[in-house]
Amino acid sequence: MEGRKTEGIEVLVFNDNQYQKNDDIVTYSMEDGTILLNNVTEEVTVINEIGAFVWNCIDNEKTDIQLCDLITSIKNQYHVDDETNVAKEITDFLFDLTQKNALIKL
């Protein structure tokens, strides 16, 4: 497995909050998700396929990602119908990654 270091200053804007990846995170892609390794704390976080999709959206050149665009992308790619649940799951996911210092809330 080859790790990929997070680089750059890509920012995710979500519900008027801005998130940026912690530069100490190295990612390892798996078939059904991604492993996030914090090189400083050595904390490992495993995220599922949809979590990896959200994580990778922060790498896109489009730095101002709106909630509705993210929900639409997830609905189309993963055939999910419940927008309210998707929005809650994304919010919880971003909160969890912020608590684990994988994401930095700006």
Side-chain angles (χ1 to χ4, degrees), residues 37-78:
L37 170 65
N38 186 315
N39 274 337
V40 174
T41 65
E42 297 182 356
E43 183 173 3
V44 174
T45 302
V46 179
I47 56 178
N48 66 20
E49 187 176 352
I50 296 175
F53 177 83
V54 173
W55 177 263
N56 290 331
C57 283
I58 302 171
D59 278 340
N60 291 342
E61 290 182 23
K62 181 181 177 186
T63 58
D64 187 5
I65 302 169
Q66 299 298 318
L67 173 61
C68 61
D69 295 336
L70 195 52
I71 290 173
T72 299
S73 296
I74 289 171
K75 282 178 55 178
N76 291 339
Q77 184 154 343
Y78 297 100

Side-chain angles (χ1 to χ4, degrees), residues 62-99:
K62 181 181 177 186
T63 58
D64 187 5
I65 302 169
Q66 299 298 318
L67 173 61
C68 61
D69 295 336
L70 195 52
I71 290 173
T72 299
S73 296
I74 289 171
K75 282 178 55 178
N76 291 339
Q77 184 154 343
Y78 297 100
H79 310 291
V80 179
D81 293 326
D82 186 354
E83 288 186 18
T84 303
N85 189 47
V86 172
K88 182 186 179 319
E89 292 291 327
I90 293 170
T91 301
D92 292 347
F93 176 74
L94 295 173
F95 177 80
D96 290 344
L97 290 186
T98 301
Q99 293 298 305

